[in-house]
Amino acid sequence: MAGLLIILGIESSCDETAAAVVEDGHRVMASLVASQTEIHMPFGGVVPEVAAREHLRVIDPLVQQALNEAGVKFADLDAVAITQGPGLIGALLVGVAYAKGLALALGKPLIPVDHVHAHVHGALLGVEVAARDLFPTLALVVSGGHTNLYRMGSPTEFALIASSIDDACGECFDKVAKLLGLGYPGGAEIERHAKGGNVKAVPMPRMVSERARLEFSYSGLKTFVANVVAAEQAPISAARRSDICASFQEEALGQLVRKLTEAVRRYPEARSILVAGGVAANQRLQELMRSSIALPAFFPALRYCGDNAAMIAAYGYHLARAAGDGNSWLANADWDAYSRYDFGEGKELSPGSG
Ligand code: KG4
Ligand code: ZN
């Protein structure tokens, strides 16, 4: 897409409404996130219908505010990128319907984006490194819903090489935090309590320990911690809780590092590693990755680890670039395809592909 520069990204797949304006795929001009965490808190989890209605309430003012902060007008936008899936259907529909209407009214291309793939681009926001120094790369998306390892030949080529056979890594952090009576979201709480704890205090089992296997597994680790907690004789002291957190965290993150180390061995052509998603915020993970793997490692800035729209706009930019002429997105647009829920792992829509 010649001359494509400024993309509006919109995200509404779960409990965050987000809007961002990104220039050239990595320069963030504005990035706003309206979190619904407090709204869902009384229910102990995200209520899909409540999420969808809240997206509907805030999406338009949020987009207007993002444009204001970026200092651009609708006419300055080159395209609109929207999270198409995976996510809560009602929540996704609000964003998709809004983005469709906006793109149609403006006569600008609408670019449907896979949310999980987009996370990877969170690691490259603000990064000024030539593509040839990054790709091929090994990209790990490690969040509350996914533990996916990809080999990427370019910013838009994703080949899934491994994922979790049971729970996601972040999900395991959340469940272990709950077992220990810590708050939500659990990952950050575990990291905080792990500081000062002894990583060797509670020997943890090593899941899928065979080097030949790249898949991840976390449900056994969660069950192990549940058994440790149940076997405690007295109420858990702060020091003991720190030890359990530290030991658990070291193994949960250690698994990621071991698998990535093996992937680097198997894919020697990789020039970098990218780590993204909520768990990428973990400082110990960053430390372990950097000390174990010699390749340049990129992590998102803290505000781009969790769900945001800057990553949606960034990935939208690369999809549009890869697809060529921007106008073909609109001319060949299969508007119904943009409303389809989840287009499956490793498959991207291209203009007119439906
Ligand atoms: O990407 P994200 O914001 O949401 C999705 O799951 O899509 O990831 C949230 C996950 C939660 O499971 C949370 O516990 C985990 O990321 N997380 C962390 C940390 N901060 C967030 N896990 C470990 N250490 C952290 N510092
Ligand atoms: Zn996410």
Side-chain angles (χ1 to χ4, degrees):
M1 184 177 282
L4 185 94
L5 286 174
I6 300 178
I7 310 264
L8 170 68
I10 301 174
E11 153 67 34
S12 73
S13 65
C14 189
D15 61 344
E16 262 116 15
T17 322
V21 181
V22 175
E23 191 183 29
D24 261 350
H26 64 96
R27 273 193 297 281
V28 183
M29 301 170 76
S31 175
L32 300 175
V33 179
S35 171
Q36 304 176 1
T37 307
E38 294 205 351
I39 294 170
H40 298 287
M41 211 168 278
F43 305 103
V46 179
V47 183
E49 176 68 12
V50 173
R53 285 170 190 270
E54 186 62 12
H55 287 308
L56 194 55
R57 197 176 69 77
V58 306
I59 197 162
D60 186 53
L62 197 73
V63 166
Q64 303 279 354
Q65 198 184 335
L67 293 183
N68 286 347
E69 284 195 13
V72 300
K73 300 192 168 31
F74 278 123
D76 300 324
L77 299 174
D78 291 296
V80 178
I82 175 70
T83 298
Q84 189 193 30
L88 303 171
I89 186 68
L92 288 165
L93 276 172
V94 172
V96 168
Y98 179 89
K100 260 173 145 176
L102 184 60
L104 199 56
L106 297 174
K108 312 273 182 186
L110 176 67
I111 305 162
V113 163
D114 177 303
H115 176 94
V116 184
H117 293 179
H119 263 295
V120 171
H121 287 276
L124 295 175
L125 290 167
V127 171
E128 304 266 354
V129 177
R132 66 175 175 281
D133 294 326
L134 292 170
F135 299 95
T137 187
L138 291 165
L140 179 67
V141 178
V142 60
S143 68
H146 295 86
T147 313
N148 286 2
L149 179 60
Y150 301 95
R151 181 199 181 277
M152 292 175 66
S154 75
T156 57
E157 276 171 64
F158 287 79
L160 183 69
I161 55 181
S163 59
S164 176
I165 55 173
D166 42 56
D167 292 354
C169 180
E171 179 184 0
C172 185
F173 270 87
D174 293 334
K175 287 177 174 170
V176 166
K178 205 166 183 180
L179 287 169
L180 292 169
L182 302 175
Y184 184 88
E189 284 294 303
I190 293 213
E191 180 174 16
R192 194 161 67 79
H193 286 274
K195 290 204 173 92
N198 176 1
V199 297
K200 297 209 168 83
V202 185
M204 293 277 157
R206 201 168 257 209
M207 313 312 297
V208 277
S209 56
E210 310 91 308
R211 196 174 92 166
R213 292 181 65 189
L214 281 181
E215 305 102 300
F216 305 89
S217 169
Y218 282 98
S219 78
L221 204 52
K222 168 203 65 194
T223 305
F224 181 83
V225 177
N227 291 336
V228 167
V229 172
E232 291 291 311
Q233 302 298 332
I236 298 177
S237 68
R240 175 72 175 154
R241 193 164 59 187
S242 279
D243 282 349
I244 297 173
C245 284
S247 302
F248 160 74
Q249 174 176 268
E250 202 70 2
E251 179 50 36
L253 302 178
Q255 183 184 132
L256 298 175
V257 176
R258 283 197 304 278
K259 300 292 172 184
L260 215 52
T261 304
E262 172 61 12
V264 168
R265 197 184 66 79
R266 278 196 216 179
Y267 298 90
E269 72 277 19
R271 303 215 167 129
S272 66
I273 62 167
L274 310 178
V275 185
V279 184
N282 189 293
Q283 294 304 302
R284 181 68 184 145
L285 175 62
Q286 302 201 12
E287 240 172 65
L288 289 170
M289 285 285 181
R290 293 211 160 94
S291 61
S292 314
I293 296 174
L295 292 173
F298 296 87
F299 292 81
L302 216 51
R303 64 190 176 284
Y304 303 130
C305 285
D307 289 347
N308 65 87
M311 68 186 196
I312 304 299
Y315 184 34
Y317 167 88
H318 290 290
L319 283 169
R321 284 287 301 263
D325 178 18
N327 294 325
S328 68
W329 281 85
L330 201 60
N332 301 329
D334 171 358
W335 295 97
D336 283 343
Y338 297 153
S339 302
R340 263 170 227 150
Y341 172 43
D342 184 354
F343 45 90
E345 191 54 62
K347 199 165 128 242
E348 292 291 346
L349 281 184
S350 54
S353 73

